[in-house]
Amino acid sequence: MLLLVAAVCLLKVLWLSTDPKVIVVGASAVSARYVQSADTYAAAAHKLLAGSITNRTKLTVNLNGVAAQLQKQFPELQTVSLTVPLASSRPIVYVQLAQPTAVVQTAQGNYALNASGIVLAPLKTLPPNVPLLVDQSGAAPAPGKQFLPGSTLAFVQTVAYQFDAAHLDASVFVLSSGSPYELDARLSGQTYTIRFNLEADATVQSGAAIATVQQLGDTVPSAYLDVRVPGRVYYK
């Protein structure tokens, strides 16, 4: 009888529920624009846990495997971790939302991108303080898929940072369909574009553009300011 009671107690301690508790970590105003409900993540985690008998005990549950599958299913999640409390049979799922590096605007709508150029999720409204990148290629973004090279996102981030430090508001960036290596920036309140070469140094080009804008002062270009040629700045 004692052995039977001990076995039942041990089974109860080791038994793991497939009904997890989800805790969203570090949700911000930006990430909240595409975060799904905790119930959605919990339902997906429940399906994964219930899909294998080995996930029914604390000794055999594949915590890393379930976390990896959840992150693959929901690309807006930057990190996913599962823990098993000693005093409870209910697993806890911690999810942290990825912060977008930029928002790409396409014919299909607006999508948040991470630093690697992977689509996180569609956006209904534009978040503040995140560069807006207009893509004219006609390509359709898909959550979890690569849409732009990480180098392009790094270039945009560098230019946006340099302009912000010089108190210039680069309101939008444009990837032209006719020139794959050209990036156009538009300053808030201005009609002309600043042309960059994506294959050249972003810091050098943005520095040249800022210096020229400051030197021109009230003389505003009517069409463009071109910094794509090293050591030269052209404007019209």
Side-chain angles (χ1 to χ4, degrees):
M1 181 64 70
L2 290 176
L3 290 175
L4 180 60
V5 171
V8 171
C9 291
L10 180 62
L11 181 61
K12 185 176 181 180
V13 170
L14 295 178
W15 185 255
L16 189 64
S17 169
T18 59
D19 180 27
K21 177 182 179 181
V22 174
I23 298 177
V24 179
V25 179
S28 68
V30 174
S31 58
R33 295 170 186 265
Y34 53 78
V35 63
Q36 302 188 60
S37 67
D39 291 340
T40 300
Y41 300 129
H46 164 73
K47 184 176 181 180
L48 291 171
L49 289 169
S52 174
I53 191 63
T54 59
N55 291 330
R56 301 298 180 91
T57 74
K58 296 178 182 180
L59 293 178
T60 59
V61 61
N62 185 4
L63 297 177
N64 292 334
V66 173
Q69 291 181 65
L70 278 175
Q71 196 166 1
K72 182 178 180 181
Q73 186 175 347
F74 300 101
E76 73 272 15
L77 300 181
Q78 180 174 325
T79 59
V80 180
S81 62
L82 275 73
T83 62
V84 178
L86 293 176
S88 173
S89 62
R90 189 181 186 189
I92 300 177
V93 181
Y94 294 94
V95 298
Q96 182 177 11
L97 300 168
Q99 300 301 307
T101 296
V103 174
V104 63
Q105 186 178 85
T106 68
Q108 291 74 27
N110 299 323
Y111 292 81
L113 302 180
N114 68 8
S116 300
I118 295 175
V119 179
L120 298 176
L123 292 171
K124 294 182 179 179
T125 58
L126 296 177
N129 304 320
V130 177
L132 176 62
L133 187 58
V134 178
D135 181 77
Q136 299 178 339
S137 67
K145 302 296 183 181
Q146 187 87 31
F147 186 74
L148 291 173
S151 58
T152 299
L153 274 298
F155 193 104
V156 171
Q157 283 288 96
T158 299
V159 173
Y161 175 81
Q162 296 290 338
F163 274 55
D164 184 65
H167 306 290
L168 296 174
D169 180 20
S171 58
V172 63
F173 296 87
V174 180
L175 287 171
S176 175
S177 59
S179 182
Y181 302 114
E182 179 181 334
L183 175 73
D184 295 338
R186 296 172 183 168
L187 298 179
S188 180
Q190 301 294 341
T191 58
Y192 68 92
T193 60
I194 303 176
R195 299 174 180 174
F196 295 92
N197 179 8
L198 287 171
E199 292 195 315
D201 188 273
T203 303
V204 172
Q205 292 181 85
S206 57
I210 292 169
T212 303
V213 170
Q214 292 175 341
Q215 184 176 358
L216 290 175
D218 294 334
T219 304
V220 179
S222 60
Y224 64 82
L225 192 155
D226 197 328
V227 295
R228 291 177 295 177
V229 179
R232 295 285 187 274
V233 178
Y234 303 93
Y235 66 90
K236 176 181 180 183

